[in-house]
Amino acid sequence: QQMLLALKKHLDTKKLVQAHQSQVFHSKYANLADLMPQLSNHQQWSTWYLSLIELECDLDQHGDPTLFELLNQLKKQANRFFGDFIADQYPQWLAGQHSPLRSDLLLRQEILPKINQPTLLLILDNLRYDHWISLEQLFAAWYNKDHEQVVWSTLPTATAYARNAICAGLLPHLIAEKHPDLWQKESDPTGKNLAESDLIGRLLQEENTDIKWSYHKVQNQKQGMALAQKIPQLAKQDLTVVVYNTLDKIAHAKTDSDLAKELIVDDRSYRALLQTWFAHSPLNKIAQISAKHQMTLMITSDHGSIQVGHPIHLKSDKNINANLRYKVGKSIKAHPKEALNITNPRAFGLPPAGPNHQYIIAKNDGFFTYPQQEHEHVQHYKNSYQHGGISLEEVLVPFVVLKPKPFL
């Protein structure tokens, strides 16, 4: 009898907690839904999006699937507004009008002026903002958060453009003009991010910054463990820049790996997988050793990614790039509701691609496909995570400054 009464009390308490959580959720959701059509500047969009994903991450432990679906539909609706907002505002920002913090401004404006002790800059390829929220507590054992703000990725939200913009401190068209020996065109067969260290070095020379620094790229566990062992030595210099590619590999694995497709079903399972990975990864070890050596930790990303769902039909010639979220080619065009058609690349900070060539960038959750391959493309790529386009998940990424806790 006592056991039954205790069980009943536990179940009643659980129901009350769930009812309260549902009430809080619906109140916050209604507020977000009301505000969304009124968003008119980058500050409002940043604040709104952070509120949305914080609400989403709060649901991860005990949320009703119905509530996740409500948020997912709200995000899709918001992204339709967001694509038009970017198309209108982005050229004005590049012209100097009330710009948010962009990828190309990050080093000059936020990183270099704040180096007052040995600093580790982690550029985590494809770190979405909701990923940071889900990982933040895992850093809290060794670090206190000093500063956090939204960075707006340069367009297209792809590594070749956004990460080069971070490293050079320049928009892509200016990299091509000032450093033609380091810029790779879309048609070039070589890797597009092989000159990151050189771009950082030239930026530091231009800034007349007399600091000791080094650059490292981690693409696998072996390289990550090797870097962790070097931290005690790296802690003696001013700036250590690390590009970490594992998160991007996890995202792309969902396209081709059956196991990854089972593990990453949606954004919620994606976040859970990243938490598990980080807890046992070399990156965790790197962060821990850096804290013990009293290094400031700065974390950011070049872009995020979005789970694509809607095919965008495209007619083009064969000389076109492979990315599913943006295309560069001759006489290509998509419906303006589905993609941003860029006929004046310089206005969007992009280098000219050739006569009659233009850029088109997918909006919302669309991905480009071709009529002759549509069935195979949709089967293979639908629900995969892609980047290069215009969505809240791809454009808005974190910049966080963490200060090490004192170790006795």
Side-chain angles (χ1 to χ4, degrees):
Q1 180 102 17
Q2 288 181 331
M3 288 181 64
L4 288 173
L5 287 171
L7 180 61
K8 183 178 184 301
K9 183 178 180 181
H10 172 73
L11 292 173
D12 289 345
T13 302
K14 188 175 180 181
K15 287 180 181 177
L16 286 171
V17 170
Q18 288 175 337
H20 175 70
Q21 289 170 342
S22 179
Q23 186 179 12
V24 170
F25 170 86
H26 283 288
S27 174
K28 291 182 177 179
Y29 173 86
N31 185 51
L32 287 168
D34 289 341
L35 285 174
M36 189 260 294
Q38 305 171 39
L39 303 174
S40 60
N41 59 51
H42 64 82
Q43 294 97 334
Q44 292 174 353
W45 273 107
S46 295
T47 301
W48 186 90
Y49 181 59
L50 289 187
S51 298
L52 176 77
I53 57 176
E54 285 168 0
L55 180 58
E56 185 177 22
C57 290
D58 284 345
L59 291 175
D60 279 353
Q61 299 304 317
H62 38 63
D64 183 336
T66 305
L67 305 184
F68 279 103
E69 183 56 29
L70 279 172
L71 284 180
N72 190 45
Q73 292 303 316
L74 184 59
K75 273 194 290 188
K76 286 186 176 182
Q77 186 180 1
N79 272 325
R80 286 193 282 273
F81 284 91
F82 186 70
D84 295 336
F85 172 77
I86 288 289
D88 177 65
Q89 292 294 308
Y90 194 81
Q92 297 183 45
W93 296 340
L94 303 195
Q97 297 181 26
H98 308 293
S99 174
L101 177 62
R102 306 186 309 264
S103 303
D104 58 297
L105 304 175
L106 190 55
L107 264 170
R108 281 193 174 95
Q109 289 188 5
E110 291 295 326
I111 295 172
L112 295 179
K114 294 180 180 177
I115 297 177
N116 51 25
Q117 69 183 87
T119 297
L120 174 62
L121 171 61
L122 281 177
I123 303 175
L124 303 182
D125 189 358
N126 206 349
L127 176 75
R128 293 175 15 157
Y129 218 117
D130 60 313
H131 296 165
W132 163 247
I133 291 174
S134 67
L135 294 174
E136 181 175 356
Q137 284 304 310
L138 300 177
F139 287 87
W142 318 300
Y143 287 96
N144 294 315
K145 184 163 65 176
D146 181 73
H147 174 73
E148 179 177 339
Q149 71 183 101
V150 176
V151 179
W152 291 60
S153 177
T154 52
L155 299 180
T157 53
T159 305
Y161 295 88
R163 198 158 76 220
N164 279 333
I166 292 176
C167 295
L170 296 168
L171 291 163
H173 76 291
L174 293 176
I175 303 175
E177 291 174 11
K178 294 185 68 172
H179 309 295
D181 57 320
L182 302 181
W183 177 257
Q184 298 292 319
K185 298 177 182 178
E186 282 287 347
S187 56
D188 292 336
T190 53
K192 305 295 190 293
N193 288 87
L194 301 180
E196 291 169 347
S197 179
D198 292 328
L199 289 170
I200 295 171
R202 292 186 186 183
L203 169 61
L204 293 176
Q205 283 183 335
E206 289 176 10
E207 294 292 302
N208 293 317
T209 304
D210 184 22
I211 62 172
K212 295 174 69 175
W213 72 284
S214 62
Y215 165 91
H216 311 265
K217 184 175 285 188
V218 176
Q219 304 196 71
N220 54 51
Q221 186 179 38
K222 184 178 179 181
Q223 292 175 350
M225 293 306 296
L227 180 63
Q229 294 173 3
K230 294 178 183 177
I231 293 297
Q233 281 299 117
L234 297 174
K236 298 175 183 178
Q237 62 187 23
D238 301 296
L239 176 64
T240 301
V241 181
V242 175
V243 172
Y244 214 98
N245 281 340
T246 305
L247 280 75
D248 192 55
K249 289 184 176 182
I250 292 172
H252 288 298
K254 180 169 170 56
T255 303
D256 299 308
S257 165
D258 289 337
L259 177 59
K261 290 175 183 177
E262 292 286 337
L263 293 172
I264 307 174
V265 179
D266 52 20
D267 289 350
R268 184 184 187 183
S269 55
Y270 193 178
R271 289 189 290 271
L273 178 63
L274 289 184
Q275 288 177 325
T276 302
W277 163 79
F278 177 79
H280 305 281
S281 72
L283 183 58
N284 186 317
K285 183 69 69 175
I286 290 167
Q288 186 175 357
I289 298 173
S290 299
K292 287 182 178 179
H293 285 81
Q294 294 299 287
M295 298 180 77
T296 294
L297 181 59
M298 297 183 178
I299 299 174
T300 192
S301 184
D302 44 2
H303 57 76
S305 58
I306 188 170
Q307 190 169 28
V308 296
H310 174 65
I312 302 173
H313 307 297
L314 185 68
K315 292 181 179 179
S316 69
D317 62 16
K318 294 181 179 179
N319 298 316
I320 197 168
N321 61 304
N323 189 287
L324 297 180
R325 292 280 288 161
Y326 80 92
K327 296 293 182 183
V328 185
K330 192 174 182 179
S331 303
I332 55 175
K333 194 173 183 180
H335 195 286
K337 286 187 177 180
E338 296 183 313
L340 171 62
N341 297 281
I342 300 176
T343 55
N344 181 9
R346 190 176 184 85
F348 284 83
L350 298 170
N356 298 321
H357 282 62
Q358 67 183 66
Y359 296 77
I360 56 173
I361 305 178
K363 299 178 182 179
N364 203 354
D365 66 345
F367 64 102
F368 294 113
T369 185
Y370 308 96
Q372 64 272 26
Q373 299 174 314
E374 181 179 354
H375 180 70
E376 294 84 355
H377 264 227
V378 171
Q379 274 199 324
H380 189 64
Y381 292 111
K382 189 174 181 179
N383 296 323
S384 67
Y385 283 89
Q386 304 292 333
H387 55 80
I390 300 172
S391 68
L392 290 157
E393 294 92 327
E394 292 165 291
V395 175
L396 275 61
V397 296
F399 172 64
V400 187
V401 179
L402 303 175
K403 294 292 184 178
K405 292 181 177 179
F407 281 80
L408 298 177

